[in-house]
Amino acid sequence: MNLSVDLAGVTLKNPVMTASGTFGSGQEYSEFVDLSRLGAVVTKGVANVPWPGNPVPRIAETYGGMINAIGLQNPGIDVFIKRDIPFLRQYDTRIIVNVCGKTTEDYVEVVERLADEPVDMLEINISCPNVKEGGIAFGQDTKAAEAITRAVKEKAAQPVIMKLSPNVTDIGEMAKAVEAGGADVISLINTITGMKIDIHKRTFAVANKTGGLSGPAVKPVAVRMVYQAAQAVKVPVIGMGGILCAEDALEFILAGASAVSVGTANFHNPYASVEVADGICAYMERYGIEDIRELIGAVR
Ligand SMILES: Cc1cc2nc3c(=O)[nH]c(=O)nc-3n(C[C@H](O)[C@H](O)[C@H](O)COP(=O)(O)O)c2cc1C
């Protein structure tokens, strides 16, 4: 049985990866999960300099999910290169570095710093709704999205995944724009902008007022958008948004995702990513599917 998938020339042993920002660089989770069982680990977003993130509170629970406004807190590329890459290199998994920035120059600087590092792919986050300049300006305008993709691609040594925002009217147009800019792969969805009010304190549940909604509550929106993006472009698509179990992941794969990311689920079940990989295997056995690629985009 073949579970391996190809993303722009990079072979993943299985289609299951972690979603950026929900798994650190794997350090805490390595107590629970053998990272070598994952197709890839996608790191928390890293910028050219350390970012402090937003004021607290930064997270709140919602029905079927959560709202977060972390604000892309990260230690900056220097610490990341010294600390996180050597850690991940101990495992037999692909390393995908999620990159954030405020300006095109910020993104390009991180991409250049990573050029000689042993990482397999770059995921460019142009879709964080929680920081004013967290890339969302790039992620909601087709011209800006195409331009930043082109700027990153010019300097990138590794294949580039462009991570799209669901906070747009036409996801197919955004997917086409980054493909036109040279994106090797597209990933989606990032979180959906939401709000929660604390009625007892009569204030916003997160200090940033708005935050990004994630978890099972967003899954039907995410599956629809992954389907539409996959229909719109030729490059491979990575699907995410509310995946808790293999059945969820299989919906994304059948809708056109070549790989899937497990995010919020990790917070209440640290084994979720490996369980998804095992469950996909069990599904293939049950239905006599020899090759995962038979399932990718099988529902049209
Ligand atoms: C606490 C938290 C932090 C996140 N940080 C990032 C990030 O740094 N970069 C990024 O591209 N996406 C980030 N995301 C978005 C996730 O990677 C993912 O796209 C989204 O949560 C949907 O998947 P899920 O419902 O499985 O969590 C974050 C999500 C959460 C919940």
Side-chain angles (χ1 to χ4, degrees):
M1 193 162 59
N2 174 50
L3 261 113
S4 72
V5 294
D6 177 273
L7 294 178
V10 178
T11 304
L12 275 60
K13 64 172 68 159
N14 66 55
V16 181
M17 49 179 83
T18 56
S20 178
T22 65
F23 207 75
S25 287
Q27 288 95 334
E28 297 96 339
Y29 285 92
S30 62
E31 284 179 37
F32 302 97
V33 170
D34 175 7
L35 303 183
S36 301
R37 300 222 28 231
L38 299 174
V41 171
V42 182
T43 70
K44 170 78 186 158
V46 61
N48 57 336
V49 291
W51 287 11
N54 287 330
V56 294
R58 296 167 165 187
I59 56 169
E61 283 190 40
T62 61
Y63 293 123
M66 63 182 281
I67 284 181
N68 94 83
I70 305 295
L72 296 175
Q73 179 180 356
N74 78 91
I77 188 69
D78 290 336
V79 170
F80 179 83
I81 286 177
K82 256 196 236 115
R83 186 190 67 187
D84 294 22
I85 295 178
F87 171 79
L88 283 170
R89 287 272 289 169
Q90 302 172 82
Y91 297 92
D92 177 23
T93 188
R94 296 297 188 179
I95 304 173
I96 301 181
V97 180
N98 183 281
V99 177
C100 58
K102 295 180 172 146
T103 64
T104 304
E105 292 71 34
D106 289 355
Y107 282 99
V108 169
E109 188 182 335
V110 177
V111 165
E112 285 180 325
R113 290 288 308 280
L114 290 167
D116 296 325
E117 296 296 328
V119 305
D120 297 292
M121 301 183 90
L122 309 174
E123 182 180 57
I124 312 299
N125 176 9
I126 55 165
S127 46
C128 181
N130 300 325
V131 275
K132 275 194 206 79
E133 308 91 345
I136 193 69
F138 298 105
Q140 287 180 329
D141 178 275
T142 50
K143 291 257 163 358
E146 183 179 338
I148 187 144
T149 307
R150 191 159 283 131
V152 163
K153 270 297 289 177
E154 227 164 71
K155 303 288 179 187
Q158 297 90 352
V160 169
I161 304 165
M162 295 304 290
K163 184 162 179 182
L164 300 184
S165 172
N167 302 306
V168 296
T169 311
D170 188 339
I171 197 69
E173 289 304 308
M174 294 305 300
K176 280 185 190 151
V178 296
E179 184 181 52
D184 299 294
V185 178
I186 289 169
S187 64
L188 73 163
I189 62 173
N190 207 314
T191 54
I192 300 177
T193 307
M195 179 180 280
K196 181 177 178 180
I197 306 282
D198 184 329
I199 60 161
H200 303 292
K201 295 189 182 137
R202 294 185 201 151
T203 184
F204 303 99
V206 295
N208 190 53
K209 298 186 182 174
T210 60
L213 179 65
S214 63
V218 308
K219 197 191 80 181
V221 178
V223 172
R224 182 266 293 179
M225 287 195 160
V226 164
Y227 174 80
Q228 288 176 330
Q231 293 288 312
V233 298
K234 293 199 174 62
V235 296
V237 172
I238 300 168
M240 73 197 87
I243 295 175
L244 295 187
C245 59
E247 287 75 11
D248 295 334
L250 284 155
E251 282 193 53
F252 283 89
I253 291 168
L254 290 166
S258 295
V260 291
S261 288
V262 178
T264 300
N266 294 304
F267 294 140
H268 62 89
N269 175 13
Y271 304 101
S273 51
V274 169
E275 287 176 7
V276 168
D278 287 344
I280 291 174
C281 230
Y283 174 91
M284 288 171 64
E285 268 168 23
R286 178 174 170 195
Y287 288 101
I289 311 282
E290 282 299 315
D291 191 327
I292 184 88
R293 286 169 292 191
E294 292 170 41
L295 297 174
I296 298 170
V299 174
R300 285 155 205 275

